[in-house]
Amino acid sequence: MTDEVAGHVGEAHTGGIGQRLNWLRAGVLGANDGIVSVAALVVGVAGATTDSSALLIAGIAGLVGGAISMALGEYVSVSSQRDSERALIAKETAELRDMPEEELDELVGLYRSRGLTDQTARRVAEELTKHDALAAHLEVELHIDQDDLVSPWQAALSSAVAFTVGALLPLLAILLPPPDWRVPVTFGAVLIALAITGWVSAILGGASRGRAVLRLVVGGTLALAVTWLIGSLLGTSGVV
């Protein structure tokens, strides 16, 4: 066995995993929102009119507005998270500078609470403090990796791109088929896409795949059915 840390195949033991997972999470959520929101919008309009121009305008407006909204929401959310992490890092840095002995005792106590004996806990704390005191405290006390802070720009871009890609599916599905087939084709394409995103999100989160797929498919079906029904009633009543 070499001096390097030996990891199991498929496990991440290096930095950057937080940002990669954040990027994937934002991407999956963005794609799902793009599929559902734009599909519901165009299906609702299709229930009221078969005019291709109206469907195109509604779909493009939903796509652009949704992508911007998703990107802005992710940027604000992740920026707040990163600001909080930076504030905690600054606070811990000041404490290590002003009261190193108290911080060492705190680290010893944290390792003791994890099941180490007093002697082992102190030895581990002292060795890690000599190596990188701040990193040791951030990892054990705050569960933060200062070299792996999430990126708001990355999350925003990932979410916007994913939303756009997801939104293109229902937009094309509602525009390309003949008028009589638009709604059924869109329903089918959207439900298949939602099943795929549910499967992927379950894999990323380590959750039940069947349950995740069922939630998205049922929710998507209800959203499309309700918006189509509303559009049909409004179209029949002559409101639009």
Side-chain angles (χ1 to χ4, degrees):
M1 188 172 182
T2 64
D3 292 336
E4 296 180 356
V5 176
H8 296 291
V9 175
E11 290 186 0
H13 292 274
T14 58
I17 187 65
Q19 290 197 36
R20 288 195 296 271
L21 289 178
N22 182 65
W23 181 84
L24 288 171
R25 176 192 61 81
V28 171
L29 291 177
N32 180 71
D33 285 349
I35 293 168
V36 175
S37 60
V38 173
L41 177 62
V42 296
V43 165
V45 175
T49 178
T50 59
D51 183 55
S52 297
S53 297
L55 292 171
L56 177 62
I57 292 171
I60 293 296
L63 186 155
V64 174
I68 294 173
S69 176
M70 287 292 296
L72 182 59
E74 281 293 328
Y75 181 82
V76 171
S77 174
V78 175
S79 292
S80 298
Q81 177 185 341
R82 192 171 67 167
D83 289 344
S84 297
E85 290 173 340
R86 284 177 170 173
L88 290 172
I89 291 173
K91 179 176 180 291
E92 197 65 34
T93 300
E95 290 176 348
L96 286 169
R97 182 188 62 243
D98 298 335
M99 43 185 181
E101 293 301 324
E102 290 85 346
E103 287 296 296
L104 177 60
D105 290 338
E106 181 183 34
L107 191 60
V108 172
L110 289 170
Y111 279 116
R112 191 187 301 119
S113 68
R114 292 189 172 191
L116 299 181
T117 63
D118 292 347
Q119 182 180 1
T120 303
R122 180 159 294 277
R123 180 177 177 181
V124 171
E126 289 175 349
E127 290 187 3
L128 289 177
T129 297
K130 290 179 181 179
H131 175 69
D132 191 334
L134 179 59
H137 279 269
L138 292 178
E139 178 184 1
V140 179
E141 183 180 349
L142 302 173
H143 310 292
I144 294 176
D145 183 350
Q146 61 181 331
D147 297 322
D148 190 27
L149 299 183
V150 292
S151 168
W153 286 109
Q154 186 181 52
L157 179 61
S158 171
S159 184
V161 171
F163 184 97
T164 301
V165 172
L168 285 174
L169 174 68
L171 183 57
L172 293 175
I174 204 73
L175 292 174
L176 295 180
D180 291 341
W181 284 93
R182 285 173 175 170
V183 173
V185 168
T186 303
F187 261 79
V190 166
L191 295 183
I192 291 173
L194 289 177
I196 294 173
T197 58
W199 185 272
V200 173
S201 65
I203 293 175
L204 293 176
S208 169
R209 298 173 188 179
R211 189 176 303 168
V213 170
L214 182 62
R215 278 198 300 260
L216 286 182
V217 170
V218 171
T221 301
L222 290 174
L224 295 181
V226 169
T227 53
W228 179 82
L229 178 61
I230 293 174
S232 299
L233 292 175
L234 291 176
T236 302
S237 66
V239 176
V240 292

